[in-house]
Amino acid sequence: MAQLKTRLKTAENGRGRLRKPERRRLILLELKLRPHVRISELARRFNVSAETVRRDLDALADDGLIDRAHGGASAPAQGHYPSLDERANARIAERERIGLRAAGLVQDGETLMIDSGSTTIQMARALAWLGTQCTVITNSIPVAMTIGHGAPEVILCPGEYLPAESATVGTETLEFLERFNVDRCVIGASGLTALGPSETVRGFAAVKRVMLQRATIRHLLIDSQKFGHKGLANVGELADLQSVVVDAKPKGDLLSALDGADVDILVAEPA
């Protein structure tokens, strides 16, 4: 951070420009300190054009990290959404089944990206129980702690820490994930419709998008209560997925859309 502040001071004095990731980290830092930032002020401080700052703000807004406002941006509004602990204590049996079904897809020696969520934690527990020898990259501290007991290597992403989710998000997290190519990614979501999966937790949609891009095989774990629900930020299209692992088979338009996108529906049946 000290180095970044030095780079900012140099840019403010007109002797250089910040790189895109540096600008975006500083924008997020500013919004921790005050409720609103203006495009004109950021352009002056960063020694770049207003259009460049506008693109930075649009990208951060698309990732669910900020709210766009006229002439600038503000910190995202915090509506009520259950925390990780709250979600972890709901529909436990269904999520355990989904996690075990998903863990059974993973082969020894594979590399995985696993995102943060109550259902992906259940998958991590199942992988540890099965003793699957895989390498895992994750932004979730509970996933890392759980699977670390049995996996030969667990790589935890850096980034901005979200206490309610015990996870990291933000520009550093995304840049870190982009360094890797993996056999599989496993993500959760706040909702699933015919338009694709979506996410409500700030910054999670962007993490999921990168994981989908870096993986050869892509799985979504989601319980049936989330069918038909839309989160705040879109994650991707149904065609971005190879399979969805669920506790009950979807119906109606969602089923038709999944079939049309050639997505495998893997139902975790009760024992």
Side-chain angles (χ1 to χ4, degrees):
M1 183 57 70
Q3 184 179 8
L4 184 56
K5 289 180 178 178
T6 300
R7 294 264 298 149
L8 174 59
K9 185 64 67 176
T10 300
E12 287 177 332
N13 293 333
R15 296 195 302 270
R17 292 186 177 182
L18 294 164
R19 296 189 297 272
K20 178 171 64 177
E22 293 173 330
R23 293 194 307 270
R24 294 179 182 179
R25 280 200 290 271
L26 284 167
I27 290 168
L28 294 174
L29 178 61
E30 284 289 320
L31 286 173
K32 283 181 174 292
L33 302 175
R34 53 198 178 109
H36 183 80
V37 293
R38 297 193 61 80
I39 290 173
S40 56
E41 180 186 352
L42 293 174
R44 178 187 58 77
R45 292 189 66 193
F46 297 163
N47 191 25
V48 297
S49 69
E51 185 57 36
T52 295
V53 174
R54 192 172 288 111
R55 287 195 294 268
D56 287 337
L57 297 183
D58 288 343
L60 291 170
D62 288 344
D63 291 343
L65 294 170
I66 65 172
D67 285 341
R68 283 289 270 120
H70 180 68
S74 58
Q78 298 297 320
H80 176 72
Y81 183 73
S83 68
L84 179 64
D85 285 342
E86 290 174 308
R87 302 195 306 275
N89 290 310
R91 293 177 62 79
I92 295 173
E94 290 85 355
R95 288 185 292 98
E96 285 179 343
R97 298 205 316 263
I98 293 170
L100 184 59
R101 181 71 171 86
L105 302 173
V106 182
Q107 304 299 309
D108 283 341
E110 288 191 338
T111 53
L112 289 83
M113 288 181 178
I114 304 177
D115 86 323
S116 176
S118 54
T119 307
T120 54
I121 291 172
Q122 292 295 339
M123 180 193 174
R125 289 174 177 158
L127 282 171
W129 179 71
L130 292 170
T132 306
Q133 296 300 293
C134 55
T135 297
V136 173
I137 303 168
T138 183
N139 69 320
S140 166
I141 291 174
V143 166
M145 292 176 64
T146 300
I147 204 171
H149 295 294
E153 185 174 17
V154 176
I155 302 171
L156 183 63
C157 299
E160 178 188 349
Y161 180 58
L162 293 182
E165 298 296 326
S166 296
T168 58
V169 296
T171 302
E172 288 182 274
T173 306
L174 304 180
E175 289 175 348
F176 186 80
L177 288 169
E178 287 170 351
R179 301 177 191 174
F180 300 93
N181 298 304
V182 295
D183 297 312
R184 300 176 189 268
C185 78
V186 182
I187 65 169
S190 298
L192 181 64
T193 70
L195 297 176
S198 56
E199 182 54 60
T200 295
V201 177
R202 178 174 67 87
F204 273 13
V207 170
K208 297 173 196 293
R209 287 189 211 116
V210 174
M211 288 186 173
L212 290 170
Q213 292 166 6
R214 307 310 298 181
T216 301
I217 304 172
R218 302 173 294 276
H219 308 290
L220 171 69
L221 313 188
I222 193 163
D223 78 73
S224 55
Q225 281 200 343
K226 296 179 180 179
F227 294 167
H229 291 276
K230 288 183 181 179
L232 177 65
N234 184 55
V235 172
E237 300 178 351
L238 293 179
D240 296 326
L241 304 169
Q242 262 76 40
S243 73
V244 294
V245 186
V246 296
D247 61 296
K249 190 171 183 177
K251 300 176 181 178
D253 291 342
L254 180 55
L255 177 59
S256 299
L258 288 165
D259 288 341
D262 199 26
V263 178
D264 292 331
I265 300 170
L266 307 179
V267 180
E269 302 287 353

